Amino acid sequence: MGRSSGMDVLALELGPLKPRAVDLLIGSVLFAAVFWTFAGVLLPRLTRTLAERERLTAGRAREADATLAEAVRAREARADILADARHEAALTRQRAMEEGTEAIRAAREAGLRERDEAVAAGTARVAAERAAARAELERDTRHLAARLAERIVGEPLGAATDR
């Protein structure tokens, strides 16, 4: 087979699909017109629209990145505030624990002191009551002994037993 030219295609027997040279020429001219219309008018518009969309999308992406960075900073600030608050709460709990322990110790000391005072007062009162009871019992014992002696002897013993 040798080289074939575009006109040789027309020489082929293609049946009902065989194009006419005029149809090929009109088709080529119309294709060129449509191609230049697309390339010259629609393609630049499409390119501008896509570029504008990309610019807006990139702008929104930058805004989203900035908002995200701000949210991260706010979250970190909140985490710092919460950490400080937790630390302050721990210190407050510690101070309250120490104050409570001190209050318990002071109350225990006061209670022990009051107990010791009450025991000392009770001991002194018991000792005083014991001494009073002893004196009364000794007096009553002498009196009863004298009466018993008078009963045994059968006559009053007099002044010797009144001491």
Side-chain angles (χ1 to χ4, degrees):
M1 297 213 162
R3 282 183 33 178
S4 60
S5 68
M7 295 310 267
D8 289 343
V9 171
L10 295 175
L12 290 176
E13 187 60 41
L14 297 174
L17 296 177
K18 183 176 179 182
R20 294 182 311 186
V22 173
D23 292 337
L24 283 177
L25 183 63
I26 292 174
S28 297
V29 169
L30 288 177
F31 176 77
V34 168
F35 178 80
W36 289 113
T37 301
F38 273 116
V41 176
L42 294 178
L43 194 57
R45 285 184 189 171
L46 183 63
T47 304
R48 278 193 310 269
T49 302
L50 289 175
E52 180 66 18
R53 179 184 293 168
E54 179 63 28
R55 184 184 64 78
L56 291 175
T57 303
R60 292 292 181 195
R62 281 191 301 274
E63 289 176 15
D65 290 341
T67 303
L68 183 61
E70 183 179 337
V72 167
R73 284 190 302 274
R75 184 181 59 206
E76 289 172 355
R78 186 188 67 184
D80 290 343
I81 290 170
L82 284 174
D84 290 344
R86 285 186 186 110
H87 180 69
E88 185 65 30
L91 289 177
T92 302
R93 280 192 302 274
Q94 180 66 29
R95 279 193 302 269
M97 180 73 79
E98 290 170 359
E99 289 172 4
T101 302
E102 180 60 28
I104 290 170
R105 186 191 62 74
R108 183 176 291 135
E109 285 179 3
L112 290 174
R113 193 171 34 254
E114 288 176 14
R115 182 200 66 184
D116 292 343
E117 290 171 1
V119 167
T123 303
R125 190 175 68 213
V126 166
E129 288 177 1
R130 180 183 289 157
R134 180 179 215 136
E136 187 178 334
L137 285 176
E138 285 178 2
R139 189 173 16 114
D140 287 344
T141 305
R142 277 192 216 119
H143 179 68
L144 289 174
R147 283 185 61 201
L148 181 63
E150 286 176 354
R151 268 189 177 171
I152 291 175
V153 173
E155 54 186 66
L157 296 177
T161 59
D162 287 339
R163 292 189 233 171

